[in-house]
Amino acid sequence: MKASMSTLTSVPLPPRASKEITVSYLGELLFNAGFIDAKQKVEVDNVDRQWRAQHKGKTTSTRSEATRSEEDVSPFKALAAMNLTDASGNSTRMDDFLLARLIAEDAHQPFFKIDPLKLDVEMIESKISRPFARKHKMIPVAIRDGKLVVSMVNPFDTQAIDSYRHMAKQDIEIVVSSESDVMGVITEQYGFRSAVTKAERDLKGGIDLSNLEQYVKLKSGAEIESSDSHIVNAVDYLLQHAYDSRASDIHIEPKREFAVIRFRIDGVLHEIQRVPKLVNLAITSRLKTMCRMDIAERRRPQDGRIKTENSGKETELRVSTLPTAFGEKVVMRIFDPEILIRDLSGLGFYDDELKVFADWITRPHGIILVTGPTGSGKTVTLYSALKSLASPEINITTIEDPVEMIWDDFNQTSVQSKIGITFASALRTILRQDPDIIMVGEIRDQETAQNAVQAALTGHLVFSTLHTNDASSSITRLVDLGIQPFLISSTLIGAMAQRLMRKICDDCKRNRPLTVEEAGMLSLQAPPGKRIIVKEGAGCIRCRNTGYFGRTGIFEILPIDNSIRDLIDRSEDFLKIKEMAIKRGMRTLRQAALRKLAEGNTTFEEVVRVTGI
Ligand SMILES: [Zn+2]
């Protein structure tokens, strides 16, 4: 495709007619290139009619709404939602990159993949206004031989090209880029990068670069702030971008020449930006000032908090710094109450599972264990359970390390090993405070385990977590911590293992067949001559091209009934217990994951990542 494009672009072209990009037009491109067959083409045309009806309804409304609809109504999104499969049998991704390549061919213009890290933001800002860029889905990406190279989603929009040429007062050269690239640059990169570029220019202007360390040490945070509103803007953009991306953590990592900014989204880190070292120092100073850290202290780790506002609600950032070889690394955890405390029904339970868990948590006394590695969603499950139980008549007390989310209905204590407050000692104190329900952040030593059992025996409901891989081995773990089997069998209500799986983005979900090897990895066998079809995300703007949006829990729920109690009393190992539990209907984590896969909620890759092979 590349070769043919470069020869085509060298041919002088007649003026082109204006053309709108519609779903039907995109379907035609796919059809002509052999990616869809005649039957699929008919389906596309049907979607096109719906899309037009929607589009028309929107653009005839008031002006401000019309402007917004330019972004909302995307023929690319409408087509992606159809999950078309490649009729040529090559499983080609029918994403907006493929479509942009086909449009480029049709327009006899080169396709251009935008690399946001290579854009000259100052040039962009001086050459186009943000509203114009957004409205016409175009962005200047480079200056080549005195000509402005402009990335467009629709190279047939001659009206936009003409008015832009007039505005830019410069020769322009059109290249075609994907909608996600162009809109991504406009919405995400523009604000932040332009603030960073300006800040760099200001900082470079005033100081001797070779003496940078000295400079930052000498200047107080307040001075850097007041001297550079661009840094303040950059930090604001960064935080807003993190909230908009549903990030749970922001990592700012200094390297030799620059710093990398990464967001953790749905449990996975994504590189978002690279900023010049100079600007990073100023950003770090700004953040340290915001959480009242000692700005001159750069050799010792520090902790702090920032309260910010995110669409009307207060969001807390927990900030920590760590000196590394190339400077201070900053990690910010974003605490969003809506993410940490939810309704039990929003955690990913199936109906039967929710029923069992809801029964456990309404028992008057006993121990409920939630197990899994760090990041498996245990805390959210416990908070959500406690929230559903909270009422003025009962006393809920928690011991946590640290308190993750402050909630008015609970009495929360934090472990502070420096002054001798441990899980075990705090638990002893709490028992004198007349609690009904106790949440112990984690059982990791014998004393805590014993105190938890004691609390359950004296009529309290105790929630806690253990670091075990599955539900059954939590029993072995308690035995290893020195708890007598008969005490376990008489206090334990149930153990639940859990993991979080990324959900496929609804906007770009599509079918894909499993290869024979992949099916084999999951011990699945397709009927002869057939393939197992699962879903995956193609990647779109909404999901930042990851194909995933949000997470869901999977659970392995082990209720302690008489048959399990027997095995515990006889000190049988966890495999025996697991075997019996499965016989009694327990779904393993793997089975739960496969169910989510079969339902099209998650991908093959997630099943492998989360449940191992
Ligand atoms: Zn998507």
Side-chain angles (χ1 to χ4, degrees):
M1 201 182 282
K2 245 182 194 162
S4 72
M5 252 170 18
S6 59
T7 43
L8 282 169
T9 47
S10 59
V11 178
L13 297 162
R16 288 176 307 279
S18 193
K19 199 189 301 188
E20 194 197 349
I21 291 187
T22 62
V23 182
S24 188
Y25 166 69
L26 297 177
E28 207 176 288
L29 292 180
L30 289 173
F31 179 72
N32 293 340
F35 290 112
I36 61 171
D37 57 25
K39 201 171 141 238
Q40 288 170 306
K41 177 76 174 71
V42 173
E43 287 170 32
V44 171
D45 289 337
N46 286 335
V47 170
D48 182 73
R49 270 187 287 279
Q50 291 165 17
W51 177 80
R52 273 167 197 281
Q54 212 186 347
H55 191 49
K56 203 173 163 230
K58 283 200 177 173
T59 46
T60 49
S61 47
T62 62
R63 206 185 119 80
S64 65
E65 271 172 309
T67 324
R68 207 177 312 139
S69 74
E70 304 281 352
E71 298 147 35
D72 295 344
V73 182
S74 156
F76 297 93
K77 279 189 186 171
L79 195 85
M82 293 184 66
N83 295 318
L84 293 165
T85 41
D86 184 358
S88 68
N90 296 321
S91 338
T92 313
R93 275 169 66 134
M94 262 171 273
D95 52 17
D96 65 348
F97 290 99
L98 173 70
L99 291 165
R101 286 193 169 89
L102 296 175
I103 293 169
E105 273 190 332
D106 191 34
H108 304 287
Q109 303 282 21
F111 168 78
F112 184 78
K113 172 86 187 81
I114 299 179
D115 181 349
L117 299 175
K118 290 194 180 135
L119 293 178
D120 177 350
V121 183
E122 225 163 333
M123 182 278 284
I124 296 177
E125 221 193 13
S126 67
K127 293 290 181 190
I128 198 164
S129 79
R130 203 169 171 186
F132 189 88
R134 198 176 262 279
K135 181 158 191 269
H136 298 289
K137 298 183 179 173
M138 63 197 288
I139 196 94
V141 287
I143 296 176
R144 195 162 35 198
D145 307 330
K147 281 185 183 172
L148 199 53
V149 181
V150 182
S151 265
M152 291 191 80
V153 175
N154 179 5
F156 302 106
D157 190 348
T158 47
Q159 210 187 331
I161 295 172
D162 287 345
S163 37
Y164 184 60
R165 186 176 285 124
H166 191 72
M167 275 163 40
K169 298 184 182 71
Q170 196 169 359
D171 264 359
I172 62 175
E173 192 183 311
I174 302 298
V175 292
V176 182
S177 298
S178 75
E179 188 186 57
S180 51
D181 267 4
V182 173
M183 297 314 277
V185 169
I186 298 170
T187 56
E188 292 178 354
Q189 308 289 337
Y190 207 8
F192 178 76
R193 296 234 47 103
S194 104
V196 164
T197 310
K198 284 180 191 156
E200 189 185 22
R201 190 191 52 209
D202 284 8
L203 288 170
K204 267 189 184 156
I207 56 155
D208 173 12
L209 269 182
S210 62
N211 219 358
L212 181 65
E213 294 275 311
Q214 207 62 32
Y215 168 80
V216 172
K217 251 184 223 161
L218 291 175
K219 269 201 143 188
S220 76
E223 253 179 293
I224 287 181
E225 257 176 79
S226 57
S227 73
D228 206 328
S229 61
H230 303 309
I231 289 298
V232 177
N233 286 342
V235 169
D236 286 351
Y237 279 121
L238 182 67
L239 297 182
Q240 195 54 51
H241 186 184
Y243 299 147
D244 291 347
S245 320
R246 303 173 302 108
S248 58
D249 305 79
I250 305 171
H251 292 233
I252 306 178
E253 298 159 353
K255 307 283 177 199
R256 194 181 290 277
E257 308 287 342
F258 51 84
V260 176
I261 298 179
R262 301 199 288 170
F263 289 173
R264 189 179 293 281
I265 303 168
D266 294 334
V268 178
L269 281 168
H270 297 273
E271 181 170 326
I272 301 293
Q273 295 283 357
R274 284 177 183 210
V275 294
K277 196 160 184 116
L278 186 57
V279 178
N280 180 52
L281 284 166
I283 287 179
T284 304
S285 297
R286 164 74 184 151
L287 287 167
K288 285 168 75 177
T289 312
M290 284 171 83
C291 51
R292 299 191 190 89
M293 287 179 186
D294 178 357
I295 193 155
E297 175 59 82
R298 307 179 43 183
R299 304 243 160 116
R300 263 186 261 271
Q302 295 187 66
D303 293 307
R305 293 174 181 210
I306 307 174
K307 293 238 190 261
T308 64
E309 205 186 87
N310 169 22
S311 43
K313 60 177 200 271
E314 192 177 86
T315 300
E316 187 184 303
L317 297 171
R318 217 163 280 175
V319 186
S320 71
T321 65
L322 180 75
T324 67
F326 297 119
E328 275 177 300
K329 174 178 157 68
V330 180
V331 176
M332 292 182 270
R333 293 198 67 194
I334 301 171
F335 286 85
D336 182 344
E338 275 171 35
I339 290 174
L340 275 172
I341 302 189
R342 287 191 248 181
D343 281 341
L344 284 176
S345 58
L347 298 178
F349 283 117
Y350 288 109
D351 287 346
D352 55 330
E353 296 173 338
L354 184 57
K355 238 173 107 185
V356 173
F357 189 65
D359 168 57
W360 290 2
I361 67 173
T362 45
R363 305 268 184 98
H365 51 82
I367 299 177
I368 296 167
L369 292 174
V370 180
T371 81
T374 306
S376 55
K378 303 186 296 267
T379 311
V380 175
T381 301
L382 290 182
Y383 275 145
S384 305
L386 294 180
K387 182 196 151 213
S388 76
L389 295 170
S391 81
E393 295 84 42
I394 59 169
N395 173 2
I396 297 177
T397 305
T398 74
I399 313 159
E400 302 169 65
D401 184 21
V403 171
E404 292 217 6
M405 182 81 234
I406 294 168
W407 195 254
D408 279 349
D409 296 339
F410 315 153
N411 304 293
Q412 294 168 286
T413 329
S414 190
V415 165
Q416 286 168 283
S417 38
K418 270 186 217 151
I419 55 165
I421 302 180
T422 61
F423 277 121
S425 68
L427 190 47
R428 262 198 317 273
T429 314
I430 279 172
L431 285 172
R432 293 196 288 269
Q433 292 256 322
D434 186 29
D436 299 290
I437 298 172
I438 305 166
M439 191 258 264
V440 183
E442 192 190 332
I443 296 178
R444 52 187 172 206
D445 56 67
Q446 180 169 13
E447 203 186 349
T448 309
Q450 282 168 343
N451 291 352
V453 168
Q454 201 53 41
L457 286 171
T458 50
H460 303 95
L461 186 63
V462 181
F463 288 87
S464 193
T465 72
L466 277 178
H467 269 266
T468 61
N469 284 330
D470 64 4
S472 331
S473 45
S474 60
I475 292 162
T476 324
R477 179 90 183 105
L478 287 179
V479 173
D480 291 346
L481 285 172
I483 305 297
Q484 296 286 339
F486 79 93
L487 285 176
I488 300 172
S489 69
S490 55
T491 54
L492 193 60
I493 296 171
M496 177 169 88
Q498 80 165 85
R499 298 286 189 278
L500 291 175
M501 299 188 85
R502 289 190 288 170
K503 287 197 287 187
I504 301 174
C505 168
D506 282 331
D507 280 10
C508 59
K509 201 182 265 192
R510 63 167 176 200
N511 286 332
R512 87 148 170 105
L514 286 187
T515 65
V516 177
E517 289 80 18
E518 287 168 342
M521 283 166 80
L522 303 181
S523 317
L524 300 174
Q525 210 169 6
K530 293 215 167 154
R531 297 252 231 137
I532 297 171
I533 305 290
V534 296
K535 301 278 184 195
E536 69 176 3
C540 66
I541 306 173
R542 178 173 177 257
C543 61
R544 305 187 43 81
N545 285 321
T546 58
Y548 295 102
F549 197 93
R551 287 189 286 179
T552 181
I554 50 166
F555 305 92
E556 179 177 288
I557 299 179
L558 170 66
I560 310 300
D561 59 12
N562 285 334
S563 54
I564 302 289
R565 220 167 267 135
D566 265 2
L567 295 178
I568 298 175
D569 287 341
R570 295 210 305 264
S571 298
E572 295 286 3
D573 74 357
F574 75 97
L575 285 173
K576 280 259 168 55
I577 293 170
K578 186 170 190 168
E579 209 173 275
M580 172 63 82
I582 290 171
K583 217 159 85 189
R584 317 261 312 150
M586 182 179 82
R587 200 180 294 128
T588 63
L589 282 172
R590 167 55 68 81
Q591 286 165 337
L594 288 176
R595 185 164 166 187
K596 300 263 179 199
L597 176 70
E599 289 169 347
N601 280 321
T602 195
T603 61
F604 165 77
E605 288 75 13
E606 274 297 278
V607 175
V608 173
R609 184 180 74 89
V610 172
T611 66
I613 285 299

